[in-house]
Amino acid sequence: LQLEDADETTDSSSTNTGAVTFLDTPGHAAFKHMRECGSHCTDIIVLVIAADDGVSDQTREVIKLYQTQKKASESRGEELALLIALTKIDKPGIDLET
């Protein structure tokens, strides 16, 4: 996987069980293709949602990518996890119930 955009960040580290690569893609709609490519070679997706932004089109896109890739991963005997992190929950006026 080669990503050539200056706004993405990649970092690889070696462990006793292999390499770990972190790919950070911006949530902007222009990076949809980058997220799609990255979802094909990942073991875990960390979706960060700002509480004051709510659920955006990009949030829905990542959840759909996860659902599609999870099925593909399971058919290969692999696992794919989704971790959702909610930020800015301490800002005034944030209602976590809605």
Side-chain angles (χ1 to χ4, degrees):
L1 175 65
Q2 288 188 344
L3 302 173
E4 298 177 359
D5 195 287
D7 288 333
E8 103 281 344
T9 303
T10 58
D11 180 33
S12 293
S13 301
S14 294
T15 68
N16 292 338
T17 58
V20 176
T21 301
F22 299 91
L23 173 65
D24 179 18
T25 61
H28 191 275
F31 295 93
K32 180 177 182 174
H33 179 71
M34 186 187 308
R35 286 188 293 274
E36 288 172 349
C37 290
S39 72
H40 292 285
C41 62
T42 189
D43 298 316
I44 185 169
I45 296 171
V46 179
L47 175 59
V48 180
I49 303 170
D52 58 346
D53 286 342
V55 177
S56 67
D57 290 340
Q58 291 80 13
T59 302
R60 289 180 183 86
E61 169 203 324
V62 171
I63 292 170
K64 286 179 184 175
L65 280 172
Y66 166 73
Q67 292 168 333
T68 301
Q69 291 307 316
K70 182 168 177 55
K71 289 177 185 177
S73 295
E74 288 171 349
S75 71
R76 295 187 306 267
E78 301 170 352
E79 292 185 34
L80 176 63
L82 174 66
L83 173 66
I84 299 176
L86 191 58
T87 63
K88 301 182 183 179
I89 61 172
D90 58 339
K91 289 184 78 173
I94 298 297
D95 181 4
L96 297 177
E97 300 298 321
T98 59

